[in-house]
Amino acid sequence: MTLWDELIKPMLAYPSKPFDSPDWVFEIKFDGTRSIAYVDVKNRTVRFLNRRMMFFEHRYPELGNIFEDMDADRIILDGEIVVFDENGRPDFFKLAEREHVDDKLRVEILSEQNPATYIVFDVLHIDGNDLIDLPWEKRREILENRVKESDRMLISKYVRESGTKLFEEIKKLGMEGIMAKRIDSPYLIGKRSKLWLKIKALKTLDVAICGYTTGKGVRKELLGSLITGVYVNGKLKYTGKVGTGFDEEEMKKLKSMLDKLIVDECPFEEVPQLDLPSGRYAVWTKPELVCEVKFLELTRDGIMRAPSYVRLRTDKLPEDCILEA
């Protein structure tokens, strides 16, 4: 049995600051949906698996013919599905619109209006042979020999050693950040490893939504703020309330989704001190939804200062929201 017969969870990275090293390579961190691609060239099929272990290739028909650019019968790739804006920068909001559409006609329209690109950065399997134990450098050589770029598929570019310079260039462009990978790193399925590092230009955090506070005034029928948390040593830890960054439409959507997850008990081991004004209260939910939040800094006890909602992350699992203890 090989990886072709399995649902693969991608290798994950730890956060880091910019650095330089001859033992590392550095790539642009694209703002998209992480996707494992199962490409069957003989049968002319392509399947995309996201981090929630769901196949979703029906949402991206324009990527259905990337099998034409593979020198293999069967190949498994790791990469990011991205929608670029008119300036050639990743536009997550256009991508997010596509992530929530299942109607076939609407899918076809969006595939023409906002076509996606699959950016490949690793190869895990070819024709019955698993490659995950090979060092990154060897896998990269195989990837470049077996995969050809096309209108809808690109191979991620990298630089060796000069991570600080690349980070500063990406930061100036207003992009998310860079990835650092040791050249001898194997591919560790489903594991977060310090052999791969993510270096973000902005302070953002993916958090599990653990409930919400009731609103007042114009928000009386909506929500006041999201109650968020991350996992530390396998346990949920409170990271603060997020009450800005969303418009009325987004609040309605979030409340509708959260109301289906309401529970009686607080999901944290210790009920956090929310300091709510009179008349407002907490509604606890199962920690199944993930959102991205931007903030100024983390306090010593791990609470986000001045947090603001960025977006819902339907491509991520709650257990991926972690902080190092």
Side-chain angles (χ1 to χ4, degrees), residues 33 50 52 54 56 58-60 83 92-104 106-107 110 249-250 253-254 257 289-291 309-316:
T33 296
N50 65 18
R52 288 182 171 267
M54 297 174 60
F56 65 110
H58 64 282
R59 293 187 176 130
Y60 299 96
V83 172
F92 191 89
F93 296 101
K94 288 183 179 180
L95 179 71
E97 181 181 15
R98 301 201 56 185
E99 290 284 298
H100 297 98
V101 174
D102 288 307
D103 177 77
K104 189 173 181 180
R106 183 67 177 153
V107 166
L110 287 175
E249 183 180 348
E250 188 72 2
K253 181 178 76 173
L254 287 167
M257 297 172 75
L289 298 180
V290 174
C291 69
Y309 176 87
V310 177
R311 61 196 177 200
L312 198 64
R313 296 302 305 249
T314 56
D315 58 319
K316 292 197 172 182

Side-chain angles (χ1 to χ4, degrees), residues 205-210 226-232 235-242 268 270 272-274 284 291 293-295 297-299 301-308 321-323:
L205 188 65
D206 292 326
V207 293
I209 303 175
C210 303
L226 300 175
I227 302 171
T228 67
V230 295
Y231 284 92
V232 178
K235 296 179 181 179
L236 265 178
K237 182 185 182 302
Y238 175 66
T239 51
K241 304 191 301 293
V242 182
F268 302 105
E270 294 184 15
Q273 184 63 253
L274 300 178
W284 303 112
C291 69
V293 177
K294 60 182 178 181
F295 59 96
E297 62 182 353
L298 288 176
T299 64
D301 53 354
I303 306 300
M304 296 180 289
R305 282 192 59 214
S308 178
C321 303
I322 67 167
L323 278 182

Side-chain angles (χ1 to χ4, degrees), residues 164-192:
T164 304
K165 181 180 179 182
L166 178 63
F167 177 77
E168 291 302 325
E169 291 174 352
I170 292 303
K171 190 175 179 179
K172 288 177 183 177
L173 291 173
M175 297 180 70
E176 186 179 7
I178 64 174
M179 293 292 300
K181 299 174 182 178
R182 275 195 64 97
I183 60 174
D184 58 355
S185 62
Y187 191 98
L188 304 175
I189 290 178
K191 294 182 180 179
R192 193 178 298 274

Side-chain angles (χ1 to χ4, degrees), residues 126-142:
I126 290 181
D127 295 340
N129 298 307
D130 294 335
L131 309 178
I132 57 175
D133 292 330
L134 296 176
W136 176 91
E137 199 168 31
K138 181 61 178 177
R139 296 198 310 278
R140 177 71 188 205
E141 180 185 339
I142 294 171

Side-chain angles (χ1 to χ4, degrees), residues 12 47 106 168 170 195 197 223 235 247-248 261 320:
L12 303 175
R47 304 202 72 191
R106 183 67 177 153
E168 291 302 325
I170 292 303
L195 296 173
L197 302 171
L223 52 83
K235 296 179 181 179
D247 57 20
E248 183 175 338
L261 301 173
D320 291 333

